[in-house]
């Protein structure tokens, strides 16, 4: 664990770190995705169950997760002579530290808790309790793949059903099995063996 903002200037260095532009892009991208995710989740529970959920996004915890991930990636960058680690490593390290920091919290007010557990399906309760893990599934897949489906996905009539099961399996992994960045990296690499979407540039090698 690193003290927040300690040697943060090193990360901004173009020579030794990743540079201000890249770090700002990471922060802006995550902020945009979290904003969209919160809006979508709020609407989902409101429309399906007529229940309003309270949301808290701890910016300090989120920043710390990003800093911790970049600190680790910086050491990797120094050990392996590359300008920037590949997308797979970046996604894995951010996912690990995000799960450690848990910056996003969903809850319901005490007066509606009874109604919540009576109405809401168990899977949606789990997705709310483990909301950081649920968001991470979409985040890491967005880091690895484009939105272009490959022919094997289009031609498979069971694709959507199979993908829903796979999504829940990744969600479960983030909830209970993600013990280290390298474990997450190894797990995510299996999705690349037979991808259903086009793989982004920089997944296998640095961009």
């Amino acid at each position: 664990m690193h003290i927040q903002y300690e040697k943060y200037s090193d990360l901004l260095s173009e020579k030794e770190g990743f540079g201000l532009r890249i770090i700002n892009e990471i922060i802006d991208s995550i902020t945009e995705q979290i904003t969209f995710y919160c809006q979508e989740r709020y609407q989902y529970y409101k429309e399906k169950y007529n229940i309003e959920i309270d949301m808290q996004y701890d910016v300090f915890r989120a920043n710390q997760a990003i800093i911790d991930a970049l600190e680790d990636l910086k050491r990797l960058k120094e050990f392996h002579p590359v300008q920037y680690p590949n997308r797979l490593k970046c996604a894995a390290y951010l996912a690990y530290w995000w799960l450690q920091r848990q910056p996003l919290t969903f809850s319901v007010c005490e007066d509606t808790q009874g109604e919540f557990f009576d109405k809401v399906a168990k899977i949606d309760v789990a997705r709310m309790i483990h909301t950081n893990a649920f968001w991470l599934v979409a985040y890491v897949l967005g880091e690895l793949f484009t939105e272009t489906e490959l022919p094997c996905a289009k031609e498979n009539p069971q694709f959507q059903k199979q993908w829903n099961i796979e999504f829940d399996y990744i969600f479960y992994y983030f909830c209970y099995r993600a013990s280290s960045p390298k474990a997450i990296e190894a797990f995510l690499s299996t999705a690349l063996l037979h991808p259903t979407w086009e793989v982004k540039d920089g997944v296998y090698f640095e961009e």
Side-chain angles (χ1 to χ4, degrees):
M1 183 181 77
H2 310 290
I3 298 174
Q4 187 171 14
Y5 303 124
E6 184 179 6
K7 297 184 178 178
Y8 183 58
S9 59
D10 291 349
L11 299 176
L12 302 178
S13 168
E14 297 287 347
K15 183 178 180 180
E16 298 180 359
F18 298 105
L20 179 61
R21 179 185 62 82
I22 289 177
I23 292 178
N24 281 341
E25 285 178 0
I26 293 171
I27 294 172
D28 290 345
S29 175
I30 289 176
T31 302
E32 181 181 359
Q33 291 182 56
I34 285 290
T35 300
F36 177 81
Y37 172 74
C38 289
Q39 291 172 342
E40 187 275 332
R41 289 284 88 192
Y42 181 88
Q43 201 67 24
Y44 175 83
Y45 286 95
K46 180 66 176 176
E47 291 181 357
K48 186 171 182 178
Y49 301 109
N50 194 29
I51 289 178
E52 295 185 359
I53 58 176
D54 298 323
M55 302 176 176
Q56 292 186 347
Y57 179 53
D58 192 324
V59 176
F60 291 105
R61 287 179 179 268
N63 287 348
Q64 186 64 63
I66 295 170
I67 289 170
D68 286 334
L70 289 172
E71 285 270 8
D72 283 348
L73 291 170
K74 183 173 178 288
R75 282 193 290 273
L76 285 175
K77 188 169 89 75
E78 293 167 352
F79 184 77
H80 302 285
V82 296
Q83 184 176 1
Y84 198 68
N86 63 46
R87 280 183 176 270
L88 181 58
K89 287 188 182 298
C90 293
Y93 275 86
L94 191 284
Y96 173 76
W97 283 111
W98 196 270
L99 290 170
Q100 296 301 303
R101 301 298 177 213
Q102 301 282 332
L104 191 59
T105 304
F106 288 180
S107 61
V108 293
C109 66
E110 189 173 348
D111 294 341
T112 61
Q113 286 179 4
E115 180 187 10
F116 176 82
F117 287 107
D118 288 340
K119 282 185 175 182
V120 179
K122 289 183 178 179
I123 185 62
D124 285 331
V125 173
R127 289 171 177 175
M128 184 168 165
I129 293 172
H130 300 285
T131 190
N132 290 282
F134 191 60
W135 172 74
L136 277 173
V137 182
Y139 173 79
V140 298
L141 292 174
E143 288 296 295
L144 302 181
F145 302 107
T146 70
E147 294 182 358
T148 302
E149 288 184 3
L150 298 181
C152 59
K154 296 178 181 179
E155 295 167 5
N156 180 4
Q158 296 294 316
F159 168 70
Q160 191 58 54
K161 180 180 179 180
Q162 292 169 351
W163 166 240
N164 289 340
I165 294 173
E166 181 67 13
F167 190 100
D168 286 341
Y169 181 69
I170 299 172
F171 171 53
Y172 176 87
Y173 180 86
F174 280 143
C175 287
Y176 303 111
R177 296 289 184 266
S179 58
S180 68
K182 62 183 179 181
I184 297 174
E185 181 183 359
F187 175 76
L188 292 179
S189 69
T190 62
L192 303 173
L193 297 176
H194 188 75
T196 53
W197 293 278
E198 185 178 275
V199 177
K200 282 186 175 181
D201 293 336
V203 168
Y204 298 107
F205 309 102
E206 67 169 316
E207 294 182 81

